[in-house]
Amino acid sequence: MSPLSAALFISILFLLPQLHKVCAASHAAGRTIPTLGTCNNTCGTIPVMFPFGTGFGCGHPYFARYVKCNAGTLQFSTGTGIYTVSSIDYPTSTIVVADPFMSTCSSMQNSGSFSLDRTSPFTLTGSNIFVLLGCSTTSPVFDPSEDLCDTGSGSRVCSGLYSCKGVTGIGLPQNAPTSTCCVYDSLMGIRSGYSLDLPKLQCSSYTSIYEFGDEGDPMKWKFGISLLYNDSYYTPACKDCETSGGLCGFSVLDESFSCICRDGVNTTTNCFGHGYTWSGAWEPKIQTKTSIGVFLLWWIYLLV
């Protein structure tokens, strides 16, 4: 082998691994942005999927303003307080939130108010039955001209709640007259942008029942506020990201879409090539280029 051929042989041998690196770098260049952490697909025991997220930059930016994971607890925020998310039903696009100061059959107490932002992506579902408890006889809910209380089936709901031992927590005896109770009809049909203002309504407490189960036993009623969320934000880009093993999120700079991969990298497309192996669409290209280089190296060796 001549000195020139030997030098050429050694040069190609040195360039082969560099070729692999260049190919990989060119695949990732311009579309990967390092991130300080990764998003999780659970918060405590609750599965967290798009449009929700477990931290800033996770999920959809519109929903990140309202739902956050705090120390293993998924929380829902409105202008009137922070509530615990009890469950999320993704097929029906509903979540159930619990107000820590809301009354239940087992425990009744003075409550705060509840409201939903008019521009939020959440609305009340039709399954909610809101009940005002311990209301003053001068409360506007009892104005006959307004017709704000359900006096039909609502009276049975009030009787059931006032039969609970917890009613003593709002200063009423068990089985007290239901004249201070109101199944509040004014929320039905409004769905979003409303406010349940207890001081204005002159009521001590409220509760919301979203499922009755055994209607005759209020201890078995399911208490909480059922909300419907807008699921129209799920895009093909997000679906592609999830298919690649990533979680959908957004850039903290301009709230543009980001796919958050398990290796702690955000991309603008998907996670193929991040965290495990290169995607099937890219790996053959690297293998092909490397194989061609090896063939050329062997061919030159035979010629010289």
Side-chain angles (χ1 to χ4, degrees):
M1 179 184 294
S2 68
L4 179 61
S5 298
L8 181 60
F9 179 86
I10 293 173
S11 298
I12 295 177
L13 186 64
F14 173 80
L15 287 173
L16 277 178
Q18 305 306 315
L19 174 64
H20 185 280
K21 292 180 181 179
V22 169
C23 292
S26 65
H27 173 66
R31 75 178 198 94
T32 58
I33 306 169
T35 182
L36 296 177
T38 57
C39 298
N40 298 315
N41 56 9
T42 60
C43 180
T45 59
I46 298 182
V48 178
M49 299 166 53
F50 191 83
F52 305 108
T54 56
F56 188 65
C58 308
H60 192 279
Y62 199 21
F63 288 82
R65 304 169 192 170
Y66 299 95
V67 177
K68 296 179 177 65
C69 184
N70 183 19
T73 300
L74 199 62
Q75 297 179 330
F76 174 77
S77 300
T78 74
T80 49
I82 298 176
Y83 310 91
T84 301
V85 177
S86 304
S87 63
I88 303 177
D89 189 335
Y90 292 98
T92 60
S93 302
T94 57
I95 72 171
V96 175
V97 301
D99 181 346
F101 298 106
M102 185 181 73
S103 290
T104 65
C105 185
S106 58
S107 176
M108 296 190 189
Q109 57 191 323
N110 291 336
S111 305
S113 299
F114 178 81
S115 67
L116 279 181
D117 186 347
R118 189 175 296 275
T119 60
S120 80
F122 298 92
T123 58
L124 272 179
T125 67
S127 61
N128 293 289
I129 302 295
F130 280 87
V131 188
L132 306 179
L133 306 167
C135 299
S136 166
T137 55
T138 60
S139 169
V141 298
F142 299 129
D143 186 339
S145 63
E146 296 293 337
D147 195 25
L148 297 177
C149 300
D150 178 4
T151 55
S153 60
S155 60
R156 293 194 297 272
V157 175
C158 285
S159 296
L161 288 171
Y162 275 18
S163 71
C164 298
K165 293 181 179 180
V167 75
T168 58
I170 56 173
L172 295 175
Q174 192 173 2
N175 295 312
T178 60
S179 56
T180 61
C181 175
C182 170
V183 174
Y184 198 44
D185 266 357
S186 69
L187 294 180
M188 305 312 296
I190 298 177
R191 301 295 178 91
S192 65
Y194 65 84
S195 177
L196 185 65
D197 189 340
L198 289 189
K200 182 178 180 180
L201 297 174
Q202 301 176 28
C203 298
S204 300
S205 185
Y206 84 95
T207 189
S208 175
I209 306 157
Y210 67 93
E211 188 175 319
F212 281 98
D214 183 356
E215 188 173 344
D217 185 358
M219 286 296 293
K220 296 182 180 179
W221 295 351
K222 293 187 178 180
F223 296 90
I225 303 171
S226 177
L227 301 173
L228 184 71
Y229 64 86
N230 188 338
D231 63 352
S232 65
Y233 296 91
Y234 192 62
T235 62
C238 180
K239 182 177 180 180
D240 186 40
C241 170
E242 292 179 341
T243 300
S244 70
L247 295 174
C248 302
F250 58 93
S251 167
V252 298
L253 298 177
D254 59 3
E255 295 190 347
S256 60
F257 172 78
S258 286
C259 184
I260 300 160
C261 306
R262 300 186 187 186
D263 63 353
V265 170
N266 289 357
T267 81
T268 58
T269 52
N270 56 53
C271 292
F272 288 126
H274 295 277
Y276 296 102
T277 60
W278 292 101
S279 70
W282 175 249
E283 187 174 11
K285 296 179 182 179
I286 297 177
Q287 292 175 342
T288 300
K289 292 178 180 179
T290 304
S291 299
I292 292 173
V294 171
F295 174 79
L296 289 174
L297 180 61
W298 181 248
W299 180 69
I300 291 171
Y301 177 78
L302 292 178
L303 287 180
V304 298

